Amino acid sequence: MSLFRDDGIVLRTQKLGEADRIITLLTRGHGRVRAVARGVRRTKSKFGARLEPFSHVDVQFFARGSELVGRGLPLCTQSETIAPYGGGIVTDYARYTAGTAMLETAERFTDHEGEPAVQQYLLLVGALRTLARGEHAPHLVLDAFLLRSLAVNGYAPSFGDCARCGMPGPNRFFSVASGGSVCVDCRMPGSVVPSPQTLILLGALLTGDWETADACEARYVREGSGLVSAYLHWHLERGLRSLRYVEK
């Protein structure tokens, strides 16, 4: 029997029995973890209120054996709130749908439980903090998060130089299958020709140039979101269920 302590973001919850829940978290030290929280669905449970999606929490786990992730699910025995991001997200539809898509993306990019994914964890914490504070438009925060999640998982798209031959940009064509912008010689069937302003916007979101991103026109934002969605679906091999509800 072992005790573990870690901080994490609650990704989702599932009902278990009459009063329990299975909590899925993305933690700093152990990656994605599923744990049983007993009695949290009871009306008087203060413990359960801390374990809702979007919550940033400090959690204590009780596991059988020397590893947190083993044959059975560990127990979540204690939780303290670090930051209740849900309070600034769930009351606004645009923020809520964008945040839900972020949680689903983080879970999809952490397939193997118990494997640390520190960059993905820090990226999610920062994105939820920005979203909850309303510092930028929710759909821009979401697209920035999706692009950076792709990057930290080895799928960074190119928005300038050719993704295939390296020819210096800007390049007119964009190919999801090729990894982003491509030159005339490297373009493939299915390549599209986005507006130059759209590629500038996506590059700004990837690098954190919010001054450029915030000033971009709505038509380029919509086009950029379409490219981000297509690129994400290509690498995840199936779409995000929550992305269809996001306001553009």
Side-chain angles (χ1 to χ4, degrees):
M1 305 294 184
S2 304
L3 287 175
F4 298 86
R5 199 167 195 97
D6 208 340
D7 56 90
I9 296 288
V10 178
L11 300 179
R12 63 186 174 100
T13 65
Q14 300 166 267
K15 293 181 180 179
L16 179 66
E18 295 183 357
D20 305 337
R21 277 199 178 112
I22 297 176
I23 312 296
T24 302
L25 305 101
L26 179 58
T27 66
R28 180 189 295 269
H30 299 87
R32 184 162 61 89
V33 174
R34 290 188 306 147
V36 174
R38 290 181 174 168
V40 296
R41 288 165 54 203
R42 295 192 179 100
T43 306
K44 297 181 180 180
S45 174
K46 296 181 181 179
F47 180 40
R50 302 181 189 128
L51 294 174
E52 293 293 334
F54 306 112
S55 295
H56 188 194
V57 290
D58 182 336
V59 187
Q60 180 174 280
F61 301 100
F62 177 77
R64 301 178 185 276
S66 59
E67 300 291 336
L68 176 57
V69 177
R71 294 181 180 178
L73 294 180
L75 295 179
C76 180
T77 57
Q78 186 178 345
S79 173
E80 298 295 335
T81 299
I82 298 174
Y85 295 129
I89 294 175
V90 300
T91 56
D92 181 88
Y93 181 80
R95 293 184 195 177
Y96 175 74
T97 52
T100 301
M102 290 178 189
L103 298 185
E104 186 180 355
T105 300
E107 185 170 2
R108 292 283 296 278
F109 273 125
T110 52
D111 284 338
H112 303 291
E113 293 186 21
E115 291 187 3
V118 179
Q119 285 184 299
Q120 185 68 64
Y121 164 78
L122 294 174
L123 187 61
L124 181 60
V125 171
L128 292 179
R129 182 189 302 120
T130 300
L131 190 65
R133 292 175 178 174
E135 296 176 359
H136 308 284
H139 52 274
L140 288 178
V141 178
L142 172 60
D143 285 343
F145 173 79
L146 297 179
L147 288 171
R148 295 177 198 182
S149 291
L150 286 159
V152 301
N153 285 280
Y155 307 117
S158 172
F159 298 119
D161 297 345
C162 179
R164 301 192 70 184
C165 70
M167 178 179 175
N171 288 289
R172 289 185 58 203
F173 302 94
F174 188 92
S175 171
V176 169
S178 297
S181 295
V182 289
C183 63
V184 175
D185 294 333
C186 294
R187 64 175 175 170
M188 298 176 61
S191 297
V192 296
V193 186
S195 300
Q197 293 89 338
T198 299
L199 296 180
I200 291 172
L201 165 66
L202 295 180
L205 292 175
L206 181 60
T207 59
D209 180 1
W210 285 106
E211 184 177 355
T212 298
D214 289 336
C216 196
E217 294 182 28
R219 54 178 170 163
Y220 304 130
V221 172
R222 287 193 296 269
E223 185 177 39
S225 291
L227 293 179
V228 173
S229 177
Y231 194 82
L232 179 72
H233 290 185
W234 172 268
H235 288 286
L236 289 180
E237 298 182 353
R238 57 189 175 94
L240 297 178
R241 289 171 298 177
S242 54
L243 205 57
R244 71 188 70 172
Y245 302 109
V246 174
E247 289 186 337
K248 300 296 185 183

